[in-house]
């Protein structure tokens, strides 16, 4: 599968020629190997492309993402590549029992809170993170005591400030929303590629949500997104209070897909880590493993 995330922020005419994705703009023409494309983000309302581009993107399992007036991703074109055992995967997914779902959700939330603790430790100090490390150890089956919510309130308070809220319209929330949405779309892509129905979740079960399962899988990746954003835009040095993202900001944020992540102490790129998590879900349904393979942290040599 491809690895390149392509962001289109200027008016473009997109077409295919000789297995190349051709992007014609006023001041430049770009030609990219189609097989290298993982995702194409259309962030310009005057960009044009035809159905052949969609068809060829589907052939190489590349997704296309649209954005709304606030430049936050709001739509996704996902290839429907038949999986070799598609019907078997669907039946396994449908027949997943409540006990298994609760065990999976326990593992997901435990890893999410652990990752929140590590992000706090890296961005503040170990003492601040200690509460979350202890909280992660107490997550019960199905997170029946709602420790995810307790952890989130503590986490964002110390990561940003006591005044911070995910409902605020500010620069950091714009960064979070954008990068979460890109990650969610990539998760959905791999779920479909491996035969899953994205709307059938483990915990999330909104009838109006086509990506409940993606919203389950993304949870332990969120704290890594948070850390990445604070790495590239440190609060002490970045005082911009604007509520929207510039094209340069979006380019910076999509580069998260080039970062190295640890899963089971093995380093791999962001998109490969997501694929590995989805593969582990397949292996879990087949009874080959007891839990999902989830991201532990970023791989930074200077922290080794």
């Amino acid at each position: 599968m491809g690895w390149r995330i392509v962001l289109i922020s200027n008016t473009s005419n997109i077409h295919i020629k000789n297995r190349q994705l051709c992007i014609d703009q006023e001041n430049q023409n770009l030609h990219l190997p189609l097989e290298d494309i993982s995702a194409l983000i259309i962030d310009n309302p005057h960009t044009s492309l035809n159905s052949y581009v969609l068809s060829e993107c589907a052939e190489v399992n590349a997704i296309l993402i649209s954005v709304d007036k606030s430049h936050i991703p709001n739509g996704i074109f996902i290839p429907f590549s038949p999986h070799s055992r598609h019907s078997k995967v669907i039946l396994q997914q449908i027949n997943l029992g409540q006990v298994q779902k609760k065990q999976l959700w326990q593992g997901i939330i435990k890893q999410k809170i652990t990752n929140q603790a590590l992000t706090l430790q890296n961005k503040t100090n170990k003492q601040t993170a200690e509460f979350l490390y202890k909280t992660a150890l107490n997550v019960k089956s199905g997170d029946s005591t709602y420790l995810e919510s307790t952890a989130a309130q503590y986490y964002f308070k110390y990561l940003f400030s006591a005044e911070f809220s995910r409902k605020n319209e500010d620069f950091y929330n714009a960064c979070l929303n954008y990068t979460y949405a890109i990650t969610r779309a990539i998760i959905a892509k791999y779920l479909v590629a491996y035969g899953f129905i994205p709307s059938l979740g483990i915990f999330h079960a909104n009838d109006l949500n086509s990506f409940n399962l993606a919203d389950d899988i993304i949870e332990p990746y969120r704290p890594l997104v948070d850390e990445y954003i604070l790495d590239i835009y440190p609060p002490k040095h970045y005082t911009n209070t604007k509520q929207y993202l510039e094209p340069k900001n979006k380019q910076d944020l999509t580069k998260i897909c080039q970062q190295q992540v640890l899963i089971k102490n093995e380093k791999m790129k962001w998109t490969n880590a997501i694929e590995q998590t989805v593969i582990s879900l397949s292996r879990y349904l087949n009874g080959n493993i007891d839990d999902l393979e989830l991201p532990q942290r970023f791989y930074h040599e200077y922290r080794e």
Side-chain angles (χ1 to χ4, degrees):
M1 293 185 182
W3 55 272
R4 190 190 296 270
I5 309 295
V6 180
L7 174 64
I8 307 294
S9 53
N10 296 320
T11 300
S12 306
N13 176 31
I14 303 174
H15 58 99
I16 305 292
K17 184 177 181 180
N18 298 328
R19 301 294 296 169
Q20 300 275 313
L21 183 72
C22 304
I23 305 170
D24 296 342
Q25 300 178 343
E26 183 178 358
N27 298 320
Q28 64 176 339
N29 296 322
L30 302 176
H31 291 196
L32 304 172
L34 198 56
E35 289 77 10
D36 290 352
I37 309 299
S38 176
L40 183 63
I41 306 171
I42 308 296
D43 194 7
N44 181 283
H46 304 294
T47 291
S48 62
L49 51 83
N50 56 32
S51 61
Y52 184 59
V53 173
L54 298 178
S55 177
E56 288 299 292
C57 284
E59 287 296 320
V60 296
N61 203 35
I63 60 176
L64 186 145
I65 300 170
S66 63
V67 303
D68 60 19
K69 292 180 180 179
S70 300
H71 303 278
I72 299 299
N74 67 350
I76 177 174
F77 169 77
I78 302 180
F80 187 72
S81 302
H83 188 266
S84 59
R85 296 182 179 179
H86 187 63
S87 59
K88 178 183 178 182
V89 174
I90 291 176
L91 287 174
Q92 289 175 326
Q93 189 180 357
I94 292 173
N95 293 328
L96 189 64
Q98 285 301 314
V99 172
Q100 292 173 299
K101 287 183 178 180
K102 288 181 178 180
Q103 289 174 344
L104 284 173
W105 189 240
Q106 178 185 18
I108 287 171
I109 296 306
K110 183 176 181 178
Q111 189 63 56
K112 177 183 181 178
I113 297 175
T114 300
N115 289 349
Q116 288 176 327
L118 187 58
T119 294
L120 266 191
Q121 179 177 323
N122 291 336
K123 292 298 157 192
T124 58
N125 56 68
K126 189 172 183 179
Q127 289 70 33
T128 305
E130 194 62 34
F131 171 77
L132 291 181
Y133 282 122
K134 292 179 180 178
T135 300
L137 295 176
N138 292 320
V139 175
K140 300 184 182 300
S141 176
D143 188 26
S144 57
T145 54
Y146 305 105
L147 290 184
E148 180 190 15
S149 176
T150 301
Q153 294 177 25
Y154 180 92
Y155 170 72
F156 283 113
K157 173 183 176 181
Y158 286 99
L159 186 65
F160 291 102
S161 70
E163 294 75 31
F164 181 84
S165 169
R166 283 290 288 125
K167 297 179 180 180
N168 293 343
E169 294 185 358
D170 55 39
F171 177 73
Y172 280 108
N173 271 308
C175 288
L176 293 172
N177 293 338
Y178 189 86
T179 317
Y180 290 159
I182 297 300
T183 301
R184 182 179 187 247
I186 294 172
I187 292 172
K189 161 188 169 175
Y190 283 113
L191 288 172
V192 172
Y194 283 91
F196 291 99
I197 301 175
S199 59
L200 295 181
I202 296 167
F203 173 79
H204 290 88
N206 188 333
D207 290 341
L208 302 178
N209 184 3
S210 298
F211 301 105
N212 285 308
L213 187 54
D215 289 337
D216 292 329
I217 298 297
I218 197 176
E219 295 298 349
Y221 285 89
R222 290 182 186 272
L224 279 71
V225 169
D226 308 340
E227 180 177 350
Y228 176 75
I229 289 170
L230 290 176
D231 276 345
I232 61 176
Y233 300 125
K236 291 182 180 180
H237 305 289
Y238 198 83
T239 58
N240 195 332
T241 57
K242 64 188 180 185
Q243 299 178 11
Y244 60 90
L245 302 178
E246 300 282 358
K248 177 62 168 61
N249 300 136
K250 298 168 193 172
Q251 292 171 4
D252 291 340
L253 294 172
T254 58
K255 288 179 182 177
I256 193 172
C257 296
Q258 301 172 13
Q259 304 304 307
Q260 300 276 5
V261 178
L262 285 180
I263 288 187
K264 295 181 73 70
N265 295 318
E266 179 182 348
K267 65 177 181 178
M268 57 189 74
K269 282 188 177 181
W270 185 258
T271 51
N272 294 340
I274 290 172
E275 182 178 13
Q276 186 61 36
T277 297
V278 173
I279 291 173
S280 74
L281 180 56
S282 294
R283 296 180 62 204
Y284 177 87
L285 294 181
N286 284 320
N288 296 328
I289 56 175
D290 295 327
D291 211 341
L292 300 184
E293 295 181 7
L294 301 170
Q296 298 164 296
R297 60 185 177 90
F298 283 117
Y299 175 81
H300 296 289
E301 291 188 352
Y302 64 85
R303 290 181 185 157
E304 292 300 290

